[in-house]
Amino acid sequence: MAPVDPHSFTDSTHPVTTHVSLSLYFDFSSSTIHGSALLSLSSPRTGPLSLDTRSLSILQALDPQTLTSLPFSLSEPDPIRGTHLTVSLSDHKSLLILFSTSPDSSALQWLSPPQTFNKTHPYVYTQCQSIHARSVFPCQDTAATRICYSAKLNIPNQLSAVMSAKHLDRHPPTRDDVKEFGYGDFGIDLESLWCVEGRVVEEFVMEQPIPPYLFAFAVGNLGFREVGPRTIVYAEDVAELLDAAAREFAGTEELIRQGERLFGEYEWERFDLLVLPPSYPYGGMENPRMVFLTPTLIKGDLSGAEVVAHELAHSWTGNLVTNKNNEHTWLNEGFTTYAEKRITEEVQGKDRAALGIGIGWRGLNEAMARFKDNMEFTKLRIKLEGVDPDTVYSQVPYEKGFQFLWRIERQIGRSAFDEFLKKYITTFKFKSIDTETFLDFLKANVPGIEKQIDLVTWTEGTGIPPDACEPVSSIYRNIVSLADDFKLARIPREDEVANWRGLEWELYLKNLPKSVEASQILALDAQYKLSESKDYEVKVAFLLLALSIKCRNYYGEVEKTLKEVGRLKYLHPLYTSLVQGAGTEEEKIFAKQVFAGACDCYHPIARGVVESIFAKYI
């Protein structure tokens, strides 16, 4: 076997999947999907074909032409990679697999009506990054491969579906959709259930090749608001939520136009947005044509557009040019963070972009402290054999990657770097590359760059290179200076913070000294009500400061926050702060009690990350 990815069973000597045709029946009563996947290969294959699965029941592998069985076998589950599915082929260029998902699929979160905004209908959504598409359907689940796909989703007719794909049709189901289902023992008469009254089929197609981690869908009682010629905002059909989302993301078209000016044509036609339930584990996910967003971005001050700018930037760096596997994540996230800052600068100005760079700088330094006992994870090009990528998710690939590209820009000048970036995207679009490929391209297009910048230190070295730097901005320096004054027990005057929004407060809080008195924290909160902020970035930054000095006054607010949202950006530091290092036994018991009461509302990825924190520190 010649692996292409430490997190996949995909064999580089086997033909790659070029297209997947899916028929999926959603059974909300059992939190499972019953389905078929028709996989088309790049060339005929005789011999074994390796595929990734996790928590899937594989019922049959069939010749699509004759519907005769193909021999297959399943390995024992690997705790990180899942189960290796091997199908024996004989000059086959396609194969059909019948399967069912499990209620504990790592990609899927099934929400009961009480767990949703509208409290009346169930909801299910995917999160396939980094290696979770294999828990939805059998595939070569590595960013080294790219697939087109079509999908038929059979769902209750009071619900609707969206996907990271073009919507084709919504129509009553027919038996012709699923003749193959008669060849699998699903434990139910799926052929008949497909066509029962009260069901509807939504059809989609993705005609551009994408890595499997960008496969996405959501099914629920969805409404929408149009906010631009290329953008519709979807969310649960609650007028207040939809209207707030539409206001927050009203400027999306301007972001797209600036992205096109900087990086070239937008290749994906639509840039629609889906605001998910509060359990969504990330700030956003760059699924092409249908970006997923956390509701915590809806703050009422339009600052949520900064995350939208990041997900939009992925349309060029990540979705078009993709890291080959998770050992090269910085090629996705570092480039995208750089592109996000450039879009933000164009739309909101240099000072606003500098504040974002400053927060990123703090996040990078915090990541260095987090990994002080395993500095491997502070590299850009990391080794992840035997490591679950979800458990080492951090700001390193984002912010160190950004700093590397920013360093190159400073060396060769913005105009030259802009031309380089456009050429890079044009050269590698719809391809998956690694760090070495990027460095070769850099050296070929910027002769002598390796003599001006230590490329090895930047990509292979640990820690923060000496030529990384903080932003230069008078607003940034003023906020940091006010934070330094806190050592002298000076709280900012109201006139000094009159124009501050969430970003300014977040930067201020993250630069406060860690060794302060509880009385100072209480005084700050009494004046500005930071623990009650509707902006979770501000609220969590304040709560982390309070926890760091063992200020127990805010345990109730910590518990409330951990039960309100499932975003890992908040869960990871709050739970870690309670249980690591000098965490008392009381704090550890408190953390476990909160988790026990909240975990059923977390996405499986988030549950796994919190459990890994407990395993490390308790």
Side-chain angles (χ1 to χ4, degrees):
M1 183 176 180
V4 298
D5 185 327
H7 300 122
S8 174
F9 294 108
T10 301
D11 192 315
S12 64
T13 65
H14 296 179
V16 298
T17 305
T18 57
H19 188 277
V20 179
S21 181
L22 293 163
S23 296
L24 304 175
Y25 179 92
F26 288 71
D27 185 353
F28 280 87
S29 65
S30 64
S31 300
T32 56
I33 297 171
H34 305 296
S36 67
L38 174 61
L39 280 63
S40 300
L41 306 178
S42 58
S43 61
R45 172 68 176 167
T46 295
L49 178 74
S50 293
L51 298 170
D52 296 302
T53 75
R54 179 186 292 120
S55 302
L56 294 181
S57 296
I58 305 299
L59 307 174
Q60 280 277 16
L62 302 170
D63 181 318
Q65 304 302 317
T66 65
L67 294 180
T68 56
S69 296
L70 298 173
F72 70 90
S73 63
L74 293 162
S75 71
E76 288 297 313
D78 178 89
I80 295 173
R81 293 184 295 172
T83 301
H84 183 183
L85 168 61
T86 304
V87 183
S88 296
L89 304 180
S90 180
D91 197 34
H92 285 89
K93 200 175 178 181
S94 61
L95 65 155
L96 180 66
I97 300 174
L98 308 183
F99 63 93
S100 296
T101 66
S102 162
D104 61 359
S105 164
S106 59
L108 296 169
Q109 183 169 24
W110 299 83
L111 299 173
S112 64
Q115 294 174 306
T116 65
F117 280 111
N118 64 27
K119 311 297 183 187
T120 57
H121 296 283
Y123 196 109
V124 63
Y125 69 91
T126 56
Q127 175 57 40
C128 288
Q129 195 180 44
S130 300
I131 53 170
H132 300 285
R134 67 195 67 184
S135 69
V136 182
F137 65 99
C139 58
Q140 293 167 319
D141 193 8
T142 170
T145 67
R146 303 179 77 94
I147 57 171
C148 300
Y149 71 85
S150 59
K152 298 175 182 178
L153 278 55
N154 184 306
I155 62 176
N157 64 7
Q158 70 269 33
L159 305 181
S160 55
V162 294
M163 290 197 80
S164 56
K166 180 190 296 184
H167 186 259
L168 296 180
D169 195 17
R170 178 180 171 99
H171 61 80
T174 67
R175 283 183 178 269
D176 289 341
D177 291 332
V178 287
K179 291 178 179 178
E180 69 273 11
F181 281 180
Y183 291 81
D185 182 10
F186 290 95
I188 54 176
D189 182 0
L190 198 53
E191 277 189 292
S192 297
L193 284 175
W194 185 270
C195 297
V196 299
E197 187 176 353
R199 306 289 297 191
V200 69
V201 171
E202 302 253 29
E203 289 198 46
F204 300 84
V205 62
M206 171 48 76
E207 297 170 324
Q208 295 153 299
I210 60 171
Y213 72 81
L214 292 177
F215 175 86
F217 62 72
V219 178
N221 179 224
L222 302 177
F224 63 89
R225 298 285 188 270
E226 188 170 339
V227 298
R230 289 179 277 190
T231 304
I232 289 174
V233 175
Y234 294 85
E236 287 185 66
D237 197 8
V238 177
E240 182 181 0
L241 173 64
L242 285 164
D243 292 342
R247 288 192 297 270
E248 192 75 32
F249 306 125
T252 299
E253 180 60 26
E254 178 61 18
L255 298 177
I256 300 172
R257 286 199 292 263
Q258 292 298 336
E260 288 185 310
R261 189 183 67 78
L262 290 166
F263 312 119
E265 181 185 1
Y266 180 77
E267 299 266 0
W268 305 96
E269 186 182 6
R270 300 288 307 171
F271 185 71
D272 293 329
L273 310 173
L274 173 67
V275 177
L276 284 113
S279 61
Y280 187 60
Y282 295 111
M285 181 63 208
E286 62 270 19
N287 308 309
R289 301 182 66 100
M290 185 60 68
V291 166
F292 283 12
L293 297 171
T294 170
T296 63
L297 299 180
I298 302 174
K299 307 171 187 178
D301 63 0
L302 309 185
S303 62
E306 289 156 16
V307 172
V308 174
H310 182 90
E311 305 312 330
L312 170 65
H314 269 302
S315 302
W316 292 273
T317 54
N319 297 3
L320 273 186
V321 185
T322 307
N323 52 230
K324 188 175 181 180
N325 59 51
N326 290 299
E327 295 186 328
H328 308 275
T329 297
W330 80 272
L331 288 170
N332 276 21
E333 300 300 351
F335 270 88
T336 296
T337 301
Y338 175 86
E340 167 211 331
K341 305 304 184 197
R342 292 293 305 279
I343 293 172
T344 299
E345 181 179 317
E346 292 297 323
V347 175
Q348 299 185 0
K350 290 185 178 180
D351 282 336
R352 195 75 181 164
L355 294 181
I357 294 171
I359 289 173
W361 178 256
R362 291 304 311 160
L364 181 58
N365 280 271
E366 289 165 5
M368 296 300 143
R370 172 186 166 191
F371 292 124
K372 65 183 185 299
D373 297 326
N374 195 338
M375 294 297 284
E376 170 67 26
F377 301 132
T378 68
K379 298 178 180 178
L380 288 184
R381 193 337 186 161
I382 57 178
K383 294 180 175 63
L384 288 177
E385 185 73 45
V387 177
D388 184 339
D390 290 335
T391 63
V392 292
Y393 173 83
S394 79
Q395 289 301 298
V396 172
Y398 295 77
E399 298 299 340
K400 187 174 179 179
F402 161 76
Q403 286 281 343
F404 180 31
L405 299 174
W406 196 29
R407 174 67 183 90
I408 299 170
E409 181 208 285
R410 294 197 302 274
Q411 185 65 44
I412 69 176
R414 174 164 285 189
S415 178
F417 189 71
D418 283 353
E419 291 305 310
F420 168 82
L421 194 54
K422 287 180 179 177
K423 185 175 181 181
Y424 167 77
I425 292 168
T426 300
T427 300
F428 295 111
K429 72 177 183 179
F430 295 113
K431 296 178 182 177
S432 300
I433 67 170
D434 57 19
T435 301
E436 290 69 30
T437 301
F438 166 73
L439 292 176
D440 289 344
F441 183 79
L442 175 65
K443 288 183 279 191
N445 286 274
V446 187
I449 190 68
E450 69 274 21
K451 297 176 182 177
Q452 299 163 324
I453 299 174
D454 190 338
L455 304 180
V456 174
T457 293
W458 270 103
T459 56
E460 304 286 343
T462 60
I464 302 176
D467 46 349
C469 68
E470 292 182 78
V472 177
S473 159
S474 58
I475 293 178
Y476 172 77
R477 291 309 313 164
N478 180 58
I479 293 171
V480 173
S481 176
L482 287 173
D484 289 340
D485 286 348
F486 200 72
K487 298 174 186 175
L488 307 176
R490 187 173 99 75
I491 294 173
R493 299 188 310 271
E494 291 191 8
D495 64 294
E496 291 175 310
V497 302
N499 295 320
W500 282 16
R501 293 190 287 167
L503 204 60
E504 287 86 351
W505 275 114
E506 182 186 0
L507 183 63
Y508 174 77
L509 290 168
K510 289 192 172 184
N511 279 278
L512 289 180
K514 303 306 179 187
S515 55
V516 296
E517 297 296 325
S519 58
Q520 293 176 265
I521 298 299
L522 293 167
L524 180 65
D525 193 40
Q527 185 164 348
Y528 293 112
K529 310 298 185 203
L530 300 175
S531 67
E532 302 170 19
S533 174
K534 301 300 182 185
D535 186 329
Y536 280 93
E537 303 292 339
V538 174
K539 181 177 186 175
V540 171
F542 178 82
L543 294 177
L544 286 170
L545 183 65
L547 288 175
S548 72
I549 60 168
K550 309 299 181 187
C551 185
R552 295 183 57 193
N553 301 58
Y554 296 101
Y555 273 24
E557 205 59 54
V558 170
E559 179 174 2
K560 179 182 175 184
T561 302
L562 291 171
K563 290 182 174 179
E564 281 178 340
V565 296
R567 189 176 174 186
L568 276 168
K569 185 176 184 180
Y570 311 140
L571 303 190
H572 193 288
L574 285 172
Y575 278 114
T576 300
S577 183
L578 287 168
V579 302
Q580 76 171 353
T584 65
E585 193 62 31
E586 179 187 5
E587 288 175 310
K588 293 177 181 179
I589 292 171
F590 171 68
K592 292 170 73 174
Q593 288 175 339
V594 172
F595 180 67
C599 65
D600 286 345
C601 292
Y602 293 163
H603 187 280
I605 293 173
R607 285 201 301 269
V609 169
V610 177
E611 287 167 352
S612 73
I613 293 170
F614 288 172
K616 181 175 181 181
Y617 294 112
I618 298 180

